[in-house]
Amino acid sequence: MNVTKGDLALFSANSCLAYTELAKKISERLGVEPGKVQVYQEANRETRVQIQESVRGKDVFIIQTVSKDVNTNIMELLIMIYASKTSCAKNIIGVIPYFPYSKQCKMRKRGSIVSKLLASMMCQAGLTHLITMDLHQKEIQGFFNIPVDNLRASPFLLQYIQEEIPDYRNAVIVAKSPASAKRAQSFAERLRLGIAVIHGEVQDAESDLVDGRHSPPTVKNAAAIHPSLEIPMAIPKEKPPITVVGDVGGRIAIIVDDIIDDVASFIAAADTLKERGAYKIYVMATHGLLSSDAPRLIEESAIDEVVVTNTIPHEIQKLQCHKIKTVDISMILSEAIRRIHNGKFPD
């Protein structure tokens, strides 16, 4: 690739060598040697960063993948950003394929918008540009006062469907909830396939039952405020029985989403699709967090295959579950780095 190597520095902010694989692939594609840096934990668990080469006047790209110890990863990233800033780097670009705390991007009752806090911390530390992939909500880009490139993993997942799923023409794209219908529709239109939506799933943590919108004062409390004031009682939401809108009988079902973390909802969706006649079930997502005992649950479920990208490493999970497959997205990240460094920003 056409990259000016002299004024570009590429670092991995992960202290654990097992999580630097993506950084290695990106550096190989760019033809750039990874920068020399020490990132480690002191005996008291404090994070220490020592950049071991000059970054003065350079474009510094800091690659950070998120492991299970997410808070340590965040501190590693923040300290490395600040170390680059105090070492007079020209630009500091964070390459964070999975943006942590992205699920906490809405105001909950007596809660906070943590992804906004994290964005402010990164900008304050010295970040001048962010490269990420498939933000949980596009609105997160507005939390930054710097340019944000929110790249898409869908072309790689679509290619996997076309090349690795036999008879994919007999498939139907499935949204496991109405909230995922837009993403499913995008996949279906590109593949020219049908779509199905599962409705009536178990209420999840992101519902508006927890953000305060269901709680106007009761009539009794309203009367205490003013005798003539009448506010109608709130009617609690109740999920209807699980139904599948669309035909999945005798078809391959491909469930698409952006994040797979707690797999209970995906397993419940797979069971429902099996009952409706689907004979093979795939789950596809950009970010495979696969927390806790997710690999074991997937192995024992009706899901035939889980396909995720390497925005997060999955070596351990793949040893625990043979159904987990990984798609490499280092190509698009390295291309974004090349364009930003050369002054040609991604579309």
PDB file of all heavy atoms in Angstrom, residues 11 41 46 72 104 128-129 142 210 234 247 261 269 308-309 328 342 345 347:
ATOM      1  N   PHE A  11       0.986   1.544  16.968  1.00  0.00           N
ATOM      2  CA  PHE A  11       1.194   0.898  18.257  1.00  0.00           C
ATOM      3  C   PHE A  11      -0.008   0.041  18.624  1.00  0.00           C
ATOM      4  O   PHE A  11      -1.135   0.320  18.216  1.00  0.00           O
ATOM      5  CB  PHE A  11       1.396   1.944  19.359  1.00  0.00           C
ATOM      6  CG  PHE A  11       2.646   2.758  19.224  1.00  0.00           C
ATOM      7  CD1 PHE A  11       2.589   4.048  18.736  1.00  0.00           C
ATOM      8  CD2 PHE A  11       3.874   2.227  19.573  1.00  0.00           C
ATOM      9  CE1 PHE A  11       3.735   4.811  18.613  1.00  0.00           C
ATOM     10  CE2 PHE A  11       5.035   2.978  19.446  1.00  0.00           C
ATOM     11  CZ  PHE A  11       4.966   4.271  18.958  1.00  0.00           C
ATOM     12  N   GLN A  41       1.324  -3.862  33.785  1.00  0.00           N
ATOM     13  CA  GLN A  41       0.694  -3.565  35.068  1.00  0.00           C
ATOM     14  C   GLN A  41       1.737  -3.622  36.175  1.00  0.00           C
ATOM     15  O   GLN A  41       2.519  -4.567  36.256  1.00  0.00           O
ATOM     16  CB  GLN A  41      -0.421  -4.579  35.369  1.00  0.00           C
ATOM     17  CG  GLN A  41      -1.455  -4.734  34.272  1.00  0.00           C
ATOM     18  CD  GLN A  41      -2.265  -3.476  34.074  1.00  0.00           C
ATOM     19  OE1 GLN A  41      -2.704  -2.857  35.034  1.00  0.00           O
ATOM     20  NE2 GLN A  41      -2.468  -3.099  32.821  1.00  0.00           N
ATOM     21  N   GLU A  46      -1.563  -0.711  38.861  1.00  0.00           N
ATOM     22  CA  GLU A  46      -1.538   0.519  38.077  1.00  0.00           C
ATOM     23  C   GLU A  46      -0.963   0.222  36.696  1.00  0.00           C
ATOM     24  O   GLU A  46      -0.067  -0.609  36.543  1.00  0.00           O
ATOM     25  CB  GLU A  46      -0.692   1.585  38.767  1.00  0.00           C
ATOM     26  CG  GLU A  46      -1.322   2.163  40.021  1.00  0.00           C
ATOM     27  CD  GLU A  46      -0.486   3.283  40.608  1.00  0.00           C
ATOM     28  OE1 GLU A  46       0.596   3.580  40.052  1.00  0.00           O
ATOM     29  OE2 GLU A  46      -0.914   3.857  41.633  1.00  0.00           O
ATOM     30  N   THR A  72      -9.211  -2.150  32.359  1.00  0.00           N
ATOM     31  CA  THR A  72      -7.761  -2.071  32.180  1.00  0.00           C
ATOM     32  C   THR A  72      -7.421  -1.655  30.761  1.00  0.00           C
ATOM     33  O   THR A  72      -6.514  -0.832  30.531  1.00  0.00           O
ATOM     34  CB  THR A  72      -7.113  -3.428  32.500  1.00  0.00           C
ATOM     35  OG1 THR A  72      -7.348  -3.756  33.872  1.00  0.00           O
ATOM     36  CG2 THR A  72      -5.609  -3.392  32.249  1.00  0.00           C
ATOM     37  N   GLN A 104     -24.121   1.353  26.861  1.00  0.00           N
ATOM     38  CA  GLN A 104     -24.564   2.363  27.814  1.00  0.00           C
ATOM     39  C   GLN A 104     -24.533   3.741  27.161  1.00  0.00           C
ATOM     40  O   GLN A 104     -23.813   4.636  27.576  1.00  0.00           O
ATOM     41  CB  GLN A 104     -23.692   2.329  29.072  1.00  0.00           C
ATOM     42  CG  GLN A 104     -23.742   1.005  29.805  1.00  0.00           C
ATOM     43  CD  GLN A 104     -23.035   1.053  31.142  1.00  0.00           C
ATOM     44  OE1 GLN A 104     -23.200   1.984  31.917  1.00  0.00           O
ATOM     45  NE2 GLN A 104     -22.229   0.039  31.410  1.00  0.00           N
ATOM     46  N   THR A 128      -7.267  12.694  18.404  1.00  0.00           N
ATOM     47  CA  THR A 128      -7.670  13.634  17.357  1.00  0.00           C
ATOM     48  C   THR A 128      -8.551  13.010  16.284  1.00  0.00           C
ATOM     49  O   THR A 128      -9.102  13.725  15.450  1.00  0.00           O
ATOM     50  CB  THR A 128      -6.426  14.241  16.675  1.00  0.00           C
ATOM     51  OG1 THR A 128      -5.657  13.181  16.065  1.00  0.00           O
ATOM     52  CG2 THR A 128      -5.558  14.971  17.692  1.00  0.00           C
ATOM     53  N   HIS A 129      -8.671  11.689  16.300  1.00  0.00           N
ATOM     54  CA  HIS A 129      -9.471  10.991  15.274  1.00  0.00           C
ATOM     55  C   HIS A 129      -9.780   9.599  15.811  1.00  0.00           C
ATOM     56  O   HIS A 129      -8.984   9.030  16.565  1.00  0.00           O
ATOM     57  CB  HIS A 129      -8.688  10.894  13.958  1.00  0.00           C
ATOM     58  CG  HIS A 129      -9.548  10.670  12.751  1.00  0.00           C
ATOM     59  ND1 HIS A 129      -9.574  11.525  11.661  1.00  0.00           N
ATOM     60  CD2 HIS A 129     -10.422   9.683  12.434  1.00  0.00           C
ATOM     61  CE1 HIS A 129     -10.410  11.073  10.754  1.00  0.00           C
ATOM     62  NE2 HIS A 129     -10.932   9.949  11.201  1.00  0.00           N
ATOM     63  N   GLY A 142     -21.826  11.486  17.865  1.00  0.00           N
ATOM     64  CA  GLY A 142     -22.047  12.853  18.323  1.00  0.00           C
ATOM     65  C   GLY A 142     -21.458  13.140  19.688  1.00  0.00           C
ATOM     66  O   GLY A 142     -21.395  14.306  20.101  1.00  0.00           O
ATOM     67  N   VAL A 210     -36.948   0.731  31.824  1.00  0.00           N
ATOM     68  CA  VAL A 210     -35.962   1.134  32.816  1.00  0.00           C
ATOM     69  C   VAL A 210     -35.478   2.557  32.627  1.00  0.00           C
ATOM     70  O   VAL A 210     -34.578   3.002  33.315  1.00  0.00           O
ATOM     71  CB  VAL A 210     -34.746   0.177  32.796  1.00  0.00           C
ATOM     72  CG1 VAL A 210     -35.168  -1.203  33.202  1.00  0.00           C
ATOM     73  CG2 VAL A 210     -34.088   0.159  31.431  1.00  0.00           C
ATOM     74  N   ALA A 234     -50.277   5.056  34.241  1.00  0.00           N
ATOM     75  CA  ALA A 234     -49.427   4.398  33.256  1.00  0.00           C
ATOM     76  C   ALA A 234     -49.854   2.948  33.099  1.00  0.00           C
ATOM     77  O   ALA A 234     -50.121   2.258  34.084  1.00  0.00           O
ATOM     78  CB  ALA A 234     -47.970   4.459  33.700  1.00  0.00           C
ATOM     79  N   ASP A 247     -42.002 -16.439   6.891  1.00  0.00           N
ATOM     80  CA  ASP A 247     -41.974 -17.891   6.706  1.00  0.00           C
ATOM     81  C   ASP A 247     -40.545 -18.405   6.807  1.00  0.00           C
ATOM     82  O   ASP A 247     -39.673 -17.999   6.028  1.00  0.00           O
ATOM     83  CB  ASP A 247     -42.561 -18.245   5.343  1.00  0.00           C
ATOM     84  CG  ASP A 247     -42.596 -19.748   5.096  1.00  0.00           C
ATOM     85  OD1 ASP A 247     -42.536 -20.501   6.101  1.00  0.00           O
ATOM     86  OD2 ASP A 247     -42.668 -20.156   3.928  1.00  0.00           O
ATOM     87  N   ASP A 261     -23.343 -10.974  23.062  1.00  0.00           N
ATOM     88  CA  ASP A 261     -22.734 -11.007  24.387  1.00  0.00           C
ATOM     89  C   ASP A 261     -23.431 -12.078  25.220  1.00  0.00           C
ATOM     90  O   ASP A 261     -23.036 -13.233  25.223  1.00  0.00           O
ATOM     91  CB  ASP A 261     -22.834  -9.631  25.042  1.00  0.00           C
ATOM     92  CG  ASP A 261     -22.019  -9.558  26.311  1.00  0.00           C
ATOM     93  OD1 ASP A 261     -21.338 -10.544  26.643  1.00  0.00           O
ATOM     94  OD2 ASP A 261     -22.056  -8.515  26.994  1.00  0.00           O
ATOM     95  N   ALA A 269     -34.241 -17.490  20.408  1.00  0.00           N
ATOM     96  CA  ALA A 269     -34.672 -17.257  19.025  1.00  0.00           C
ATOM     97  C   ALA A 269     -34.441 -18.494  18.170  1.00  0.00           C
ATOM     98  O   ALA A 269     -35.285 -18.857  17.336  1.00  0.00           O
ATOM     99  CB  ALA A 269     -33.919 -16.060  18.449  1.00  0.00           C
ATOM    100  N   VAL A 308     -18.586 -14.296  13.738  1.00  0.00           N
ATOM    101  CA  VAL A 308     -18.262 -12.965  14.234  1.00  0.00           C
ATOM    102  C   VAL A 308     -16.958 -12.506  13.584  1.00  0.00           C
ATOM    103  O   VAL A 308     -16.239 -13.303  12.978  1.00  0.00           O
ATOM    104  CB  VAL A 308     -18.116 -12.962  15.770  1.00  0.00           C
ATOM    105  CG1 VAL A 308     -19.454 -13.182  16.447  1.00  0.00           C
ATOM    106  CG2 VAL A 308     -17.113 -14.019  16.231  1.00  0.00           C
ATOM    107  N   THR A 309     -16.655 -11.224  13.695  1.00  0.00           N
ATOM    108  CA  THR A 309     -15.398 -10.701  13.156  1.00  0.00           C
ATOM    109  C   THR A 309     -14.354 -10.671  14.267  1.00  0.00           C
ATOM    110  O   THR A 309     -14.653 -10.865  15.441  1.00  0.00           O
ATOM    111  CB  THR A 309     -15.583  -9.292  12.575  1.00  0.00           C
ATOM    112  OG1 THR A 309     -15.764  -8.358  13.646  1.00  0.00           O
ATOM    113  CG2 THR A 309     -16.793  -9.237  11.652  1.00  0.00           C
ATOM    114  N   ASP A 328     -12.034 -12.096   9.215  1.00  0.00           N
ATOM    115  CA  ASP A 328     -10.978 -11.097   9.389  1.00  0.00           C
ATOM    116  C   ASP A 328     -11.384  -9.770   8.760  1.00  0.00           C
ATOM    117  O   ASP A 328     -11.765  -9.713   7.587  1.00  0.00           O
ATOM    118  CB  ASP A 328      -9.684 -11.604   8.756  1.00  0.00           C
ATOM    119  CG  ASP A 328      -8.538 -10.623   8.910  1.00  0.00           C
ATOM    120  OD1 ASP A 328      -8.545  -9.839   9.878  1.00  0.00           O
ATOM    121  OD2 ASP A 328      -7.631 -10.629   8.047  1.00  0.00           O
ATOM    122  N   ASN A 342      -2.701   9.487   4.551  1.00  0.00           N
ATOM    123  CA  ASN A 342      -2.435  10.172   3.279  1.00  0.00           C
ATOM    124  C   ASN A 342      -3.357  11.361   3.036  1.00  0.00           C
ATOM    125  O   ASN A 342      -3.302  11.973   1.975  1.00  0.00           O
ATOM    126  CB  ASN A 342      -2.559   9.189   2.101  1.00  0.00           C
ATOM    127  CG  ASN A 342      -1.458   8.146   2.109  1.00  0.00           C
ATOM    128  OD1 ASN A 342      -0.425   8.325   2.756  1.00  0.00           O
ATOM    129  ND2 ASN A 342      -1.666   7.051   1.399  1.00  0.00           N
ATOM    130  N   PHE A 345      -9.733  10.829   3.504  1.00  0.00           N
ATOM    131  CA  PHE A 345     -10.562  10.214   4.531  1.00  0.00           C
ATOM    132  C   PHE A 345     -11.544   9.239   3.901  1.00  0.00           C
ATOM    133  O   PHE A 345     -12.055   9.475   2.805  1.00  0.00           O
ATOM    134  CB  PHE A 345     -11.308  11.286   5.320  1.00  0.00           C
ATOM    135  CG  PHE A 345     -10.396  12.123   6.158  1.00  0.00           C
ATOM    136  CD1 PHE A 345      -9.726  13.210   5.641  1.00  0.00           C
ATOM    137  CD2 PHE A 345     -10.190  11.801   7.478  1.00  0.00           C
ATOM    138  CE1 PHE A 345      -8.876  13.975   6.411  1.00  0.00           C
ATOM    139  CE2 PHE A 345      -9.346  12.559   8.277  1.00  0.00           C
ATOM    140  CZ  PHE A 345      -8.685  13.650   7.735  1.00  0.00           C
ATOM    141  N   ASP A 347     -14.966   7.332   2.966  1.00  0.00           N
ATOM    142  CA  ASP A 347     -16.304   7.882   2.736  1.00  0.00           C
ATOM    143  C   ASP A 347     -17.214   7.494   3.884  1.00  0.00           C
ATOM    144  O   ASP A 347     -17.097   6.432   4.436  1.00  0.00           O
ATOM    145  CB  ASP A 347     -16.874   7.336   1.418  1.00  0.00           C
ATOM    146  CG  ASP A 347     -16.058   7.824   0.224  1.00  0.00           C
ATOM    147  OD1 ASP A 347     -15.454   8.925   0.336  1.00  0.00           O
ATOM    148  OD2 ASP A 347     -15.987   7.110  -0.788  1.00  0.00           O
TER     149      ASP A 347
END
